[in-house]
Amino acid sequence: MDYQTYFRSALDDLRDQGDYRVFANLERHRGAFPQATCRNAPAAQDVTIWCSNDYLGMGQHPDVLSAMHDALDRCGAGAGGTRNISGTTHDHVLLERELADLHGKEAALLFTSGYVSNWAALGTLASKIPDCVVLSDALNHASMIEGIRHSRAQKLIWKHNDLEDLEAKLASLPLEQPKLIAFESVYSMDGDIAPIAEICDLADRYNAMTYLDEVHAVGMYGPRGGGVAEREGLMDRLTVIEGTLGKAFGVVGGYIAASVELCDFVRSFASGFIFTTALPPAVAAGAAASIRHLKASAAERDLQKARVAEVRARLDAIGIPHVPNPSHIIPVMVGDPVKCKYISDILMKDYGIYIQPINYPTVPKGTERLRITPSPVHSAADIDRLVSALGDLWTQCQLARMPMAAQ
C-alpha cells in the first residue's frame, strides 16, 4: 500500500466535500480580546474573534493574569510529575476546593482537559461498577461517547432530550441493576438545554446515578457561575457534575465534582488521571482566581446576556436564520459545507471577522453553520460590523432569509 497516496486521497476528499479544516493562526492581544492578529499566509491581519469559547473574556482578566504570574514566580513552570508522583501542588489542592464549593459537592478532581475528565470519569465509573448500564443522550459530546465506549459497559442511547424515550429505556432494565444517565446541560452546537429536573426525577424513580456535563454552562449560569444546575437549584440531586476550565473560566483543564468517595474512586482507578502529568501550578492558580471572581461578580454574565440578545435581534431584523435557543450560543444556519467555508473565509479576508465554519462531522450534513458566541467584551461597533458583513454575504451567496427581512 502507498500510505502517503492514501493520506492525500482522504484529505482531497475532505476538501472536495467542503469539510477540510484549516487552523486560524491567531495571536491574541493581552487586554484587547476579542481583537487578535491572524498570521495565516500571505500576510498578517487584524481580526475580531466571534467564535471563542472564552465566553466572558476571563482569559484576559487582570485577576487571572496576576494569579498566574504570581504562581509562576512562586513555583516555576511545570508541576513536575503526575498527581501521584510529586505533581500535586498546593495550587491544585486550592483549585479543587474552589470547584467543590462552586458545585456544592464534597470534593472535586482535576484533569488536564474537559475531554480527559469525561473520558476518564465515565470510562472508569462504567467499567468498574459491576453490570453498569450507561444511558447516553444521543447528542452527547465525543469525549463522553469515547469514555462510554472505552468502558465496554452496556449502553443505551436515548433520543436527545426526550424524557419518554429515556423512561422507556430505564423501565426496560431491572430496578436493581446499576445505571448511569449521562447528559449535558447546554449542548454546544444547537445551544439547547436539557430538562435536568425531570431527568433527576427519572433517575430517582429508576435507581440511577446522574452524570451532567456542564462545560458550556459553568461560569455562565447561576448566581455564582455554577452552571444551569445551580441556576435551577438542582446541584444536590446530581451524582457527578463535570466541567471545564477552558471556556468561561478562560484557562485550561477539566474536572468532576461529586462525593468524597466517588472522586477518590476515580482518582484511584482512572488511567487518564493516574498516568498523565499534572497541570502547571500557574494554570491552577489562574483558574482558581477566575472561579473566585465569577462567584462574586455577575457583571460579566449580565453584559454577555445583553450582547447575545442584541446580536439575535439584529440578525432577526435582516432575516439571517439562526437557531432559537435559551443559551448564549447563536448557531447561524448555512446548510451547505462549501458556502459555509466560503462565508467564513470571506469574513476573515474582507471584513476582519473570524468565525470558524462548523461542518460535518461536528454537525450532521446539511446543518452546516457559523457558531457565534457574543461576549461582554464585544463592542457596539463590533456588532455593527458583524451584522453588516453577514447581510452582504447572505445576498452574495443567495442564501434564504427569514420572513422578517421583508420588514
Side-chain angles (χ1 to χ4, degrees), residues 104-248:
K105 296 297 186 184
E106 294 177 341
L109 188 65
L110 184 63
F111 294 84
T112 51
S113 73
Y115 191 104
V116 172
S117 58
N118 270 334
W119 178 85
L122 278 170
T124 300
L125 292 169
S127 66
K128 293 291 185 182
I129 298 173
D131 299 319
C132 184
V133 179
V134 183
L135 297 102
S136 178
D137 185 284
L139 293 189
N140 276 342
H141 189 264
S143 58
M144 302 175 77
I145 294 169
E146 286 298 326
I148 296 164
R149 182 180 296 151
H150 176 73
S151 76
R152 299 185 179 179
Q154 181 185 350
K155 68 176 182 294
L156 298 174
I157 298 172
W158 48 287
K159 297 175 185 176
H160 176 55
N161 280 350
D162 188 325
L163 295 168
E164 289 186 6
D165 191 48
L166 174 58
E167 180 163 21
K169 288 179 168 56
L170 285 166
S172 72
L173 300 168
L175 187 63
E176 67 277 6
Q177 184 168 15
K179 308 169 194 70
L180 177 60
I181 304 171
F183 63 108
E184 302 181 37
S185 57
V186 177
Y187 287 83
S188 62
M189 289 299 121
D190 290 332
D192 54 337
I193 294 178
I196 301 174
E198 291 83 356
I199 292 171
C200 289
D201 290 341
L202 290 175
D204 292 345
R205 190 176 309 156
Y206 291 95
N207 192 30
M209 298 180 294
T210 48
Y211 184 104
L212 176 64
D213 176 319
E214 288 254 46
V215 296
H216 291 278
V218 291
M220 304 293 293
Y221 301 91
R224 301 198 308 158
V228 177
E230 185 198 24
R231 184 187 70 183
E232 298 179 5
L234 298 169
M235 292 191 299
D236 62 311
R237 300 189 63 191
L238 293 152
T239 311
V240 182
I241 296 175
E242 184 268 348
T244 185
L245 305 169
K247 294 182 170 59

Side-chain angles (χ1 to χ4, degrees), residues 310-367:
E310 183 177 357
V311 172
R312 285 190 182 279
R314 294 285 297 278
L315 293 177
D316 285 340
I318 61 171
I320 301 295
H322 57 97
V323 176
N325 63 52
S327 77
H328 58 284
I329 296 166
I330 304 178
V332 171
M333 304 306 291
V334 179
D336 179 281
V338 176
K339 287 184 178 180
C340 194
K341 186 176 186 309
Y342 173 80
I343 291 172
S344 174
D345 290 345
I346 298 302
L347 282 171
M348 178 83 89
K349 174 176 172 288
D350 294 347
Y351 296 91
I353 292 171
Y354 171 52
I355 309 175
Q356 186 72 13
I358 307 296
N359 291 351
Y360 180 83
T362 305
V363 295
K365 291 181 182 292
T367 69

Side-chain angles (χ1 to χ4, degrees), residues 55-78:
Y55 293 133
L56 299 176
M58 291 301 294
Q60 303 289 318
H61 195 280
D63 290 357
V64 176
L65 301 185
S66 176
M68 295 184 75
H69 279 294
D70 174 67
L72 191 63
D73 291 339
R74 284 188 290 105
C75 304

